[in-house]
Amino acid sequence: MTTPAPFPVPTAGAVLHGELHRHRGVRRGAVLLRTPYDAVAHRSVAGSLAQRGWDCLVQDVRGRHGSTGSWTPYAHEAADGAATVAAATAAGLAGPWVLFGASYAAHTALETARVLDSDDVAAVVALVPALGLHETAHDDRGRPQHRDRLGWWSIHGLARTDHPPLPAQVLRTATHVAATDGPLAAVRWLGWDEDELQRWRRLWSARPLDLRHRYGALGVPLLVVTGDDDPFDGHARRLAAAWGRCRGPRATLLSGPWGHDLTPRVEVSGAGTGGPGSRILDWMAGLGPGPGVERRLDPDRREWADHRIDTGGAA
């Protein structure tokens, strides 16, 4: 694997740290992956994409790891993503772009696509997307996800670098306090300071996203990857149903027996581990199912099958 080149992007109020992995072999295009989970930790993914012909720019989001500025989750990703594409284009990195990411990084990809001219974007790949503040705090039926959010925010949501995970007993107790006395009581019990409390309050006061309004007019092809055991599965399906709805089907769904870490529960004869990785790469290369189709790995039959995406639940 070759050493990536530093790629800083000055933008309003921050300098965004990035690493550029140059393609090898025949060039397919450019991939942008913006993450709060440390650009350095994504070198394996970026290297794999580079080996398949993609120039891959991996960037720390504002206020995280190598990027300066203030870390406010779900606040700056549309503007910072657009600024990054503009800076990369000005530096001679040709598009159109594939906007790629998992979990929070999927949010950054979706938001960048929302504000860019469609000619600048070839496709979006959103793996187990964490769509927004409300959508991460509640499941698709509106039920609060106290344990999941206490775990994520205590590690990733409060500072430039990660905090250690809460001990299991502490997390259990905090979850119980949240369920009985409310989420604010839980973080007061944990001893969060006033700034951390304000961030937490913003999370729990956020309104649901109107996915049809936000993404319904986009014509860019979208691949949504979701799993049966992912807490965001319902929201991911609603995203796929809503995306480009004003234009007709624009999203493809890839699903199977895995959770948020995309680790499969089954192996599939003749299909490796049964994970989605090779199918994602196929889709990026123009292979695989088209828009309006869900390609699903059946955990009982241990084989892939295609179905039409249900658009009735789009919100």
Side-chain angles (χ1 to χ4, degrees), residues 1-311:
M1 184 180 298
T2 59
T3 302
F7 199 97
V9 174
T11 188
V15 177
L16 305 177
H17 163 262
E19 295 189 342
L20 178 59
H21 301 249
R22 287 290 189 179
H23 74 282
R24 292 184 283 285
V26 178
R27 187 178 188 271
R28 291 185 181 274
V31 172
L32 175 62
L33 194 166
R34 305 188 59 254
T35 177
Y37 305 123
D38 192 359
V40 172
H42 288 70
R43 285 179 176 173
S44 177
V45 171
S48 179
L49 290 168
Q51 285 182 339
R52 289 164 173 80
W54 301 93
D55 289 322
C56 190
L57 175 56
V58 185
Q59 183 187 76
D60 293 321
V61 299
R62 179 185 297 251
R64 286 286 285 172
H65 297 282
S67 292
T68 65
S70 176
W71 168 227
T72 305
Y74 296 93
H76 301 289
E77 309 311 345
D80 285 353
T84 298
V85 170
T89 301
L93 190 59
W97 293 81
V98 174
L99 307 174
F100 185 106
S103 193
Y104 187 95
H107 163 76
T108 72
L110 295 165
E111 286 296 281
T112 302
R114 183 174 63 85
V115 297
L116 281 183
D117 187 289
S118 60
D119 290 341
D120 295 326
V121 183
V124 181
V125 179
L127 291 71
V128 291
L131 292 178
L133 289 165
H134 181 275
E135 288 69 28
T136 57
H138 302 82
D139 68 14
D140 60 311
R141 298 182 183 180
R143 297 173 297 192
Q145 310 238 66
H146 293 132
R147 181 184 180 89
D148 181 76
R149 287 302 86 194
L150 284 163
W152 189 90
W153 279 74
S154 63
I155 298 171
H156 308 295
L158 303 176
R160 179 174 303 280
T161 56
D162 287 354
H163 289 166
L166 294 174
Q169 183 56 52
V170 172
L171 180 57
R172 281 194 295 269
T173 302
T175 301
H176 175 73
V177 172
T180 55
D181 299 324
L184 294 180
V187 297
R188 288 192 180 101
W189 179 81
L190 288 170
W192 289 13
D193 63 29
E194 187 58 34
D195 179 63
E196 294 166 343
L197 185 61
Q198 285 295 105
R199 294 172 185 232
W200 187 246
R201 182 179 288 113
R202 175 173 168 264
L203 168 67
W204 290 99
S205 62
R207 302 295 301 166
L209 295 176
D210 182 338
L211 296 179
R212 292 184 191 181
H213 176 75
R214 196 172 191 87
Y215 301 121
L218 274 68
V220 176
L222 168 69
L223 177 66
V224 178
V225 182
T226 187
D228 300 342
D229 297 333
D230 180 25
F232 304 144
D233 177 58
H235 295 302
R237 292 178 176 279
R238 289 186 174 186
L239 170 67
W243 184 272
R245 188 173 177 129
C246 298
R247 298 169 176 254
R250 289 294 187 274
T252 303
L253 194 64
L254 187 66
S255 66
W258 44 74
H260 199 66
D261 62 358
L262 297 177
T263 300
R265 296 196 309 265
V266 302
E267 292 188 2
V268 181
S269 178
T273 63
S278 63
R279 272 97 189 145
I280 295 168
L281 293 169
D282 286 347
W283 187 87
M284 290 174 65
L287 307 174
V293 174
E294 174 179 357
R295 177 157 290 179
R296 174 167 179 77
L297 175 57
D298 187 317
D300 297 320
R301 294 187 175 186
R302 302 194 173 193
E303 62 185 22
W304 296 87
D306 290 352
H307 313 273
R308 300 304 300 176
I309 291 176
D310 179 8
T311 60

